Amino acid sequence: MRIAIDAMGGDHAPSLIVLGAVEAALEWPALQLLLVGDTAKIETHLGAKRPSNIEIVHADDVIGPDDEPVKAVRRKKNSSMVMAGQLVREGKADAMLSAGNTGALMTTGLLVVGRMEGIERPALVTMLPTMDDKGVLALDLGANMDAKPEHLLQYAIMGSIYRSKMNGMEKPRVGLLNVGTEAMKGNELTKAAYELLETAPIHFIGNVEARDVLVRNCDVLICDGFAGNIMLKAMEGTAGTLFRTIRDVFTSSLMAKIAAAIVQPKLRQLKNKMDYKEHGGAPLLGVNGLVVKCHGSSDVKAVKNAVRQAKLAIESNLISSIAAEISRK
């Protein structure tokens, strides 16, 4: 298995991206990791302990966080992100990872890797944490700001296959994000999508509300990218505020600090549940190859977990399974 890593994308590139790749290479020696980027900068962080299963693919350019996505992908053909996508398109890599510009990565997936036949709009997928640790797979979380009912149907099929292949779920429950659980609730998009999902070859359980997601009211959560991205960021903001509040409370007095020492292991477990580093990255489903978006501030742990996630997807034949299912529709 060969995985291309955009070594120059992200807030901590190339240092932590390279170090994360090194840890992954040591953990899974059967993998071949292709670090795409400036050779001199990458070698600086590889040092003398460079694993034999890491290869450098030189790239002269970088797509920055403020670059306009479509223009950057079209003009910066020698950038680390575009070249990583090209490796996937040419079959020289089985997957690519990047913590860089999200819009540019979506564009790379569409214009460089190529859209999967039968899919109109790819979707960005994220595993939302739940109290039982099984998670809820949510899509789309920002690849497309506008969607049609047919797009939500395709998201549901891809999401069901993902949970089946990646998590071993026989009949994952698919829910449609809405303002109420009643069948006729929502806007025109969700009402029309509901009718399509009812007759789809999935285990559709109807509308679900965002307030119940963290207690796993479904296994696959379907939404348009606009609503999904707002929900995701609201959850991230709430989690951040909650942990800051807990920290302030437990440092407010001597007695509070003593109490904090007692409950600290449980608090750490709770924080890990909400930590994006534990989940690795967000695959872009619906393109003709495995493309994984890592968090912009990914550190060594997050990069390693993203490699693990890509490895599992390759082993599970995730992309070919989705393509085969979509071709039958």
Side-chain angles (χ1 to χ4, degrees), residues 83-265:
M83 288 184 65
Q86 194 66 40
L87 289 171
V88 175
R89 182 183 180 90
E90 294 172 355
K92 296 176 181 178
D94 301 297
M96 71 163 287
L97 316 177
S98 178
N101 185 314
T102 301
L105 186 63
M106 303 301 105
T107 305
T108 297
L110 284 171
L111 300 184
V112 181
V113 178
R115 186 171 55 199
M116 186 179 291
E117 186 174 353
I119 295 293
E120 293 185 33
R121 297 278 183 88
L124 196 61
V125 181
T126 293
M127 189 69 75
L128 301 177
T130 57
M131 298 309 296
D132 63 1
D133 294 327
K134 292 186 178 180
V136 170
L137 187 77
L139 66 164
D140 174 30
L141 292 185
N144 309 284
M145 292 299 104
D146 297 298
K148 297 178 181 178
E150 292 77 15
H151 300 156
L152 300 190
L153 171 62
Q154 292 178 349
Y155 299 165
I157 294 171
M158 292 192 294
S160 293
I161 296 171
Y162 186 103
R163 295 236 69 171
S164 175
K165 289 290 182 179
M166 297 286 284
N167 307 125
M169 287 188 174
E170 189 174 343
K171 288 182 65 179
R173 300 166 301 150
V174 179
L176 178 64
L177 182 65
N178 213 326
V179 294
T181 58
E182 297 85 355
M184 294 309 296
K185 278 288 182 74
N187 54 23
E188 295 305 313
L189 172 63
T190 56
K191 289 177 184 178
Y194 190 102
E195 294 182 4
L196 293 178
L197 294 171
E198 275 191 308
T199 59
I202 57 173
H203 183 199
F204 180 55
I205 62 169
N207 292 326
V208 296
E209 296 184 63
R211 64 183 177 183
D212 299 319
V213 169
L214 298 185
V215 293
R216 203 164 66 91
N217 54 355
C218 61
D219 302 306
V220 180
L221 180 67
I222 304 304
C223 51
D224 64 273
F226 184 78
N229 195 268
I230 290 175
M231 177 190 67
L232 177 65
K233 288 176 179 175
M235 287 182 174
E236 289 177 341
T238 300
T241 301
L242 175 63
F243 286 117
R244 284 193 297 272
T245 302
I246 291 174
R247 180 194 61 198
D248 292 343
V249 168
F250 279 116
T251 57
S252 60
S253 67
L254 177 60
M255 290 300 294
K257 290 178 181 179
I258 294 172
I262 297 172
V263 300
Q264 188 176 28

Side-chain angles (χ1 to χ4, degrees), residues 61-64 67 71-79 82:
D61 214 341
V62 178
I63 292 179
D67 284 344
K71 288 181 180 178
V73 170
R74 286 177 172 166
R75 294 176 181 176
K76 296 185 174 183
K77 297 189 182 298
N78 291 323
S79 64
V82 173

Side-chain angles (χ1 to χ4, degrees), residues 3-7 9 12-29 31-35 42 45-46 49 51 53-54 97 99 277 280 294 297-309:
I3 299 174
I5 300 176
D6 172 13
H12 305 299
S15 58
L16 299 191
I17 306 298
V18 172
L19 294 176
V22 169
E23 287 209 1
L26 294 172
E27 180 78 16
W28 302 290
L31 290 179
Q32 186 72 18
L33 301 184
L34 311 176
L35 292 178
I42 292 173
H45 300 288
L46 277 177
K49 296 182 180 181
N53 55 332
I54 282 185
L97 316 177
K277 301 181 187 72
C294 304
S297 57
S298 289
D299 61 7
V300 172
K301 183 178 182 181
V303 173
K304 180 181 177 181
N305 280 331
V307 172
R308 173 187 50 77
Q309 184 181 27

